Amino acid sequence: MFKIDHENKRRIGLKYILDSMNPLTPFGNELLKNASTYPKDRLCELETEWYNIERAVKGLNEQKQEYERLMHILSQFRDIRNTLKKCRELTLSDVELFELKRSLTLLGTFVPAFLSLNTEANFKDMLLNSCSEAVTLLDPEGSGIPAFSVSSAYSEKLGLIRRQKTDIEKRIRSEKTQKKRDTLLFERSKIAAEEEGEEAEVRAMLSEKLR
């Protein structure tokens, strides 16, 4: 592919068309910004794109509600490529695991909706993967919500530590003697450190399995 300069885009009316487009995702914005021509040896790909555009335009008239639902889902996707790149080598944080789970949850909603619509549209060369294994990994309890936290379901040890911490916190609230409260607070700080350590182990395990 080669890019068309600004002046030629203006002369052939392409600039007007591109300026009229409003991509729903950061990936679409990037493709629009770097729009280029198809060389002759990729004519088949161009014909496929034209076919898919034709089917989409037809579908917008006949299945407007279904297309609007897909567009709404697409508009919620964010660019998490830096998170995916980091995951190849490093352990992700809770925030990054949330970003990933959120995108996977959206994907899990988008794919079946698209496949249902595609029974009529019959698009060519559009293969989607719902990444169900990754979804299950980040949502072991099957909640179906995008929020992420290090669940006790990942580790029996973590569950035990959290139960111990809860028990000590109850004792702290009911303790009247300051000296005993101080002792319990010190014990809680040690257990909290154990909890943080085990949570770090879980994050490392999840990041490894996601690679």
Side-chain angles (χ1 to χ4, degrees), residues 91-94 97 150 196 199-207:
T91 297
L92 299 181
S93 67
D94 280 355
L97 287 166
V150 179
E196 289 179 7
E199 286 178 349
E201 291 290 332
V202 170
R203 292 188 202 97
M205 175 273 292
L206 292 174
S207 300

Side-chain angles (χ1 to χ4, degrees), residues 106-142:
L106 286 171
L107 186 62
T109 303
F110 180 84
V111 170
F114 173 83
L115 293 176
S116 175
L117 180 146
N118 197 38
T119 57
E120 293 291 333
N122 194 29
F123 292 118
K124 290 182 180 178
D125 297 340
M126 289 193 181
L127 302 176
L128 301 180
N129 185 342
S130 62
C131 301
S132 57
E133 291 184 6
V135 173
T136 300
L137 181 64
L138 294 179
D139 189 12
E141 294 163 341

Side-chain angles (χ1 to χ4, degrees), residues 18 20-33 75:
L18 295 178
S20 299
M21 298 177 71
N22 185 27
L24 296 170
T25 70
F27 315 107
N29 280 316
E30 185 175 307
L31 288 171
L32 180 60
K33 181 180 178 181
S75 69

Side-chain angles (χ1 to χ4, degrees), residues 42-186:
R42 297 184 64 183
L43 180 60
C44 288
E45 292 180 38
L46 179 59
E47 290 175 342
T48 297
E49 292 294 343
W50 279 117
Y51 168 84
N52 287 336
I53 291 172
E54 181 183 21
R55 298 302 298 170
V57 170
K58 184 175 185 293
L60 278 169
N61 294 323
E62 298 176 354
Q63 297 173 280
K64 184 178 179 180
Q65 187 173 0
E66 288 83 352
Y67 274 86
E68 287 181 344
R69 181 170 182 243
L70 288 180
M71 291 166 65
H72 175 68
I73 298 170
L74 284 173
S75 69
Q76 298 179 70
F77 277 96
R78 298 172 184 169
D79 188 351
I80 62 165
R81 282 175 290 187
N82 286 336
T83 297
L84 294 174
K85 183 177 179 181
K86 177 181 176 181
C87 186
R88 293 173 190 156
E89 299 179 355
L90 302 172
T91 297
L92 299 181
S93 67
D94 280 355
V95 172
E96 290 161 336
L97 287 166
F98 160 71
E99 291 175 345
L100 184 53
K101 184 183 177 185
R102 180 182 180 278
S103 293
L104 288 167
T105 301
L106 286 171
L107 186 62
T109 303
F110 180 84
V111 170
F114 173 83
L115 293 176
S116 175
L117 180 146
N118 197 38
T119 57
E120 293 291 333
N122 194 29
F123 292 118
K124 290 182 180 178
D125 297 340
M126 289 193 181
L127 302 176
L128 301 180
N129 185 342
S130 62
C131 301
S132 57
E133 291 184 6
V135 173
T136 300
L137 181 64
L138 294 179
D139 189 12
E141 294 163 341
S143 67
I145 60 175
F148 174 82
S149 62
V150 179
S151 169
S152 297
Y154 289 121
S155 163
E156 290 185 12
K157 181 180 178 181
L158 180 60
L160 175 61
I161 291 171
R162 286 175 171 171
R163 288 192 294 273
Q164 290 174 339
K165 189 175 79 168
T166 298
D167 178 62
I168 283 186
E169 287 171 344
K170 289 179 180 178
R171 291 166 62 192
I172 290 172
R173 288 193 294 269
S174 62
E175 183 56 57
K176 305 299 182 182
T177 306
Q178 186 59 46
K179 184 176 180 180
K180 290 183 178 179
R181 279 176 57 83
D182 290 341
T183 299
L184 290 171
L185 285 168
F186 179 69

Side-chain angles (χ1 to χ4, degrees), residues 183-197:
T183 299
L184 290 171
L185 285 168
F186 179 69
E187 289 183 22
R188 184 196 177 282
S189 67
K190 291 193 295 182
I191 291 176
E194 288 184 48
E195 182 183 25
E196 289 179 7

